[in-house]
Amino acid sequence: RHKFWETQPICQFKDIVDVDLPEGPIEPPRPLFEVKKEPYNLPNFYEWTTCDMDSEEICAEVYNLLANNYVEDEENMFRFNYSKEFLRWALHPPGYFKNWHIGVRVKSSKKLVAFITGIPAKIWVRDKIVPMAEINFLCVHKKLRSKRLAPVLIKEVTRRVHLENIWQAAFTAGVTIPTPVTTAQYWHRSLNPKKLIDVGFSKLGARMTMSRTIKLHKLPESPMTPGFRKMLPHDVPAVTRLLRKYLRQFAIAPEFNENDVEHWLLPKVDVVYSFLVESPETHEITDFCSFYSLPSSILGNQNYSTLRAAYSYYNVSVNTPLIDLINDALIMAKQLDYDVFNVLNIMENESFLKELKFGAGDGKLQYYLYNYRIKDELNPSDLGLILL
Ligand code: MYA
Ligand code: JJ1
């Protein structure tokens, strides 16, 4: 049934019953001289290209490929529209490899028609730190679908990751292949209910009017928690300490150092927003919250072309209840003119969904590990990792 995935070192569905298989790598690392030195063969007419995202021109080509061909919801009403600045940020973390940003072009026209990326990351899996690649932005042009190009892209990124002596990977997808570590669900909090209803993102509830709906979703103008403010460069050490400690409670979570926190969490306009609570008395940094900006194109609507969505990222509640912290994040997202605030039911997020008026979405997100076996399926609440 899965002609490609059956050949890969992933936990096969039939393995799930075998309780004796240990947790950890499925295949051992190989000596580097055994890793193929040449790229995999592409069908005639296509060629490999490395995408230098620092080049304005190439970044625009990648942006356009994704804006027109990347992930849609199941009714094809919305399509992710990652901005160029976002893509640069997502692909340039500390220690990134340019040749893990892989494109496929048509030989004759040089048109970019497919893409896949990896970035390096250290990931805690239970009590071990595992060097991994995070794989994302796999995309094949709509006109070239179902021609088995995706397996070639996946094998090629795997080869390039192996050449750096890295043998595990993490990825998320909307599709089900063998075998998810867990399945997370999207939840949505309306910030601009009128627009969401106008574009078909949400529906007017039974026995609800527009004005009651707008009133129900109203938020204060400014955050409520004393000492709540934007994260600044000098906060990096304190936020790193807070986050490192907090993330240890999850079975799977990133290992962040100060450079990672500076890259992933210092605010960048229209990309990522981070806030913290500084105690007015002691000036200690006690709590933290963040979200990233991922708009979607609205397909075929007369009045609107873009849905402005904020996605919950890493949050740490120590002194401020998580509910209050996320409520302040909602207030900031509203201030920044986002239409909706999205979260997955991972980490401790279940605890605030109902009270803060989130509703379940129709989208699911599967989490996967490549070449690493986990004994039992995890609960979404065991996951402390967010992939963009
Ligand atoms: S998830 C986002 C994926 N992108 C989209 O959904 C955008 C819109 N769709 C497309 O562009 C195409 O439909 C894609 C497939 C490119 C997705 N993850 O070429 P095909 C398998 C894994 O004929 P196409 C993200 O970016 C499928 O099961 N496998 O199909 C993370 C089948 O295999 P099998 C997938 O539709 C990506 C085969 O491909 C996915 O033309 C992580 C069919 O190929 C998927 N999302 O193209 C990738 N979709 O027959 C894995 C389809 O066996 C990384 N397939 O069922 C693994 C780790 C690698 C590094 C390891 C380092 C050590
Ligand atoms: O955004 C999503 N669904 C929306 C829109 C649905 C439109 C019709 N299909 C949704 N809206 C209801 C919201 C409502 C707000 C008020 C309270 C009640 C609920 O459910 C979904 C997520 O739910 N998004 C997608 O389907 C996009 C794809 C998600 C999978 C992504 C996988 C690829 C990522 C790889 O890195």
Side-chain angles (χ1 to χ4, degrees):
R1 267 196 45 260
H2 290 286
K3 270 290 159 238
F4 169 64
W5 282 108
E6 279 167 15
T7 69
Q8 297 297 300
I10 38 101
C11 195
Q12 300 293 336
F13 284 119
K14 62 176 158 53
D15 299 340
I16 296 174
V17 284
D18 192 342
V19 293
D20 297 333
L21 291 172
E23 287 210 340
I26 297 168
E27 288 180 351
R30 292 195 303 274
L32 290 189
F33 69 81
E34 285 183 17
V35 180
K36 215 164 88 76
K37 292 291 179 302
E38 315 74 35
Y40 282 88
N41 290 327
L42 280 168
N44 271 330
F45 313 118
Y46 302 105
E47 64 188 22
W48 295 111
T49 182
T50 289
C51 295
D52 177 357
M53 298 297 285
D54 282 328
S55 149
E56 190 52 52
E57 193 186 331
I58 291 170
C59 187
E61 285 182 273
V62 169
Y63 167 81
N64 285 316
L65 174 72
L66 296 178
N68 294 310
N69 302 278
Y70 199 49
V71 175
E72 300 179 5
D73 67 300
E74 50 189 21
E75 270 91 1
N76 312 104
M77 295 171 66
F78 305 97
R79 190 188 307 123
F80 285 156
N81 184 8
Y82 289 91
S83 70
K84 290 180 226 173
E85 268 320 296
F86 189 110
L87 292 169
R88 282 214 182 88
W89 170 68
L91 295 175
H92 287 173
Y96 79 91
F97 300 99
K98 192 167 84 183
N99 81 333
W100 291 9
H101 307 155
I102 307 171
V104 173
R105 294 186 188 277
V106 176
K107 272 184 195 158
S108 55
S109 63
K110 304 294 170 198
K111 184 184 160 78
L112 184 71
V113 292
F115 192 59
I116 191 167
T117 68
I119 54 169
K122 299 263 194 298
I123 308 288
W124 283 99
V125 186
R126 302 204 203 268
D127 53 357
K128 293 193 178 72
I129 298 179
V130 186
M132 294 202 194
E134 294 176 352
I135 308 299
N136 203 347
F137 305 115
L138 167 61
C139 184
V140 168
H141 193 284
K142 285 184 182 230
K143 293 202 169 136
L144 299 177
R145 297 279 168 88
S146 307
K147 297 177 185 299
R148 312 298 299 182
L149 221 46
V152 188
L153 287 156
I154 294 167
K155 284 189 280 187
E156 182 58 15
V157 75
T158 302
R159 189 184 70 83
R160 296 187 193 192
V161 170
H162 285 166
L163 285 171
E164 301 298 336
N165 203 21
I166 294 175
W167 302 85
Q168 271 72 36
F171 60 101
T172 55
V175 297
T176 306
I177 53 173
T179 303
V181 165
T182 190
T183 303
Q185 189 175 20
Y186 282 100
W187 287 69
H188 308 280
R189 198 324 180 155
S190 303
L191 302 175
N192 185 357
K194 172 144 188 348
K195 174 170 166 185
L196 294 182
I197 290 167
D198 286 350
V199 303
F201 186 90
S202 63
K203 291 194 181 67
L204 205 52
R207 297 176 306 280
M208 283 293 279
T209 61
M210 188 62 86
S211 60
R212 276 185 66 200
T213 306
I214 292 169
K215 198 168 155 202
L216 179 71
H217 291 96
K218 261 219 165 342
L219 287 161
E221 292 282 320
S222 49
M224 317 265 282
T225 308
F228 187 90
R229 61 165 175 84
K230 204 170 146 176
M231 180 187 176
L232 296 168
H234 74 257
D235 298 316
V236 166
V239 169
T240 306
R241 281 195 297 271
L242 211 57
L243 208 53
R244 287 174 66 89
K245 181 165 182 207
Y246 178 77
L247 290 174
R248 285 312 316 276
Q249 69 184 292
F250 302 105
I252 298 182
E255 156 74 11
F256 280 151
N257 63 27
E258 290 186 4
N259 291 332
D260 301 318
V261 167
E262 176 177 331
H263 179 82
W264 291 121
L265 294 164
L266 260 193
K268 274 186 191 43
V269 176
D270 287 344
V271 174
V272 62
Y273 292 92
S274 302
F275 305 91
L276 47 74
V277 181
E278 174 178 344
S279 159
E281 292 88 41
T282 67
H283 297 285
E284 231 191 316
I285 309 301
T286 55
D287 312 270
F288 176 81
C289 65
S290 58
F291 53 82
Y292 62 86
S293 178
L294 168 47
S296 280
S297 304
I298 304 171
L299 309 175
N301 186 281
Q302 300 295 305
N303 303 314
Y304 296 101
S305 61
T306 305
L307 183 75
R308 285 177 53 80
Y311 286 74
S312 176
Y313 198 30
Y314 292 99
N315 305 307
V316 182
S317 130
V318 176
N319 284 0
T320 308
L322 188 57
I323 288 226
D324 298 0
L325 206 56
I326 303 300
N327 197 52
D328 282 344
L330 292 173
I331 292 165
M332 295 316 297
K334 175 70 189 169
Q335 239 183 47
L336 289 161
D337 202 34
Y338 287 92
D339 299 317
V340 63
F341 191 93
N342 299 338
V343 315
L344 291 164
N345 63 339
I346 62 170
M347 298 190 262
E348 301 184 282
N349 294 349
E350 290 275 4
S351 68
F352 59 75
L353 295 175
K354 292 282 157 59
E355 197 161 341
L356 293 181
K357 300 173 183 143
F358 283 77
D362 62 1
K364 292 211 184 334
L365 187 66
Q366 320 274 5
Y367 275 78
Y368 299 96
L369 294 179
Y370 180 95
N371 194 23
Y372 205 95
R373 185 186 303 103
I374 293 284
K375 251 184 174 341
D376 306 286
E377 190 172 271
L378 301 181
N379 292 316
S381 60
D382 296 327
L383 262 180
L385 176 66
I386 292 190
L387 302 181
L388 302 170

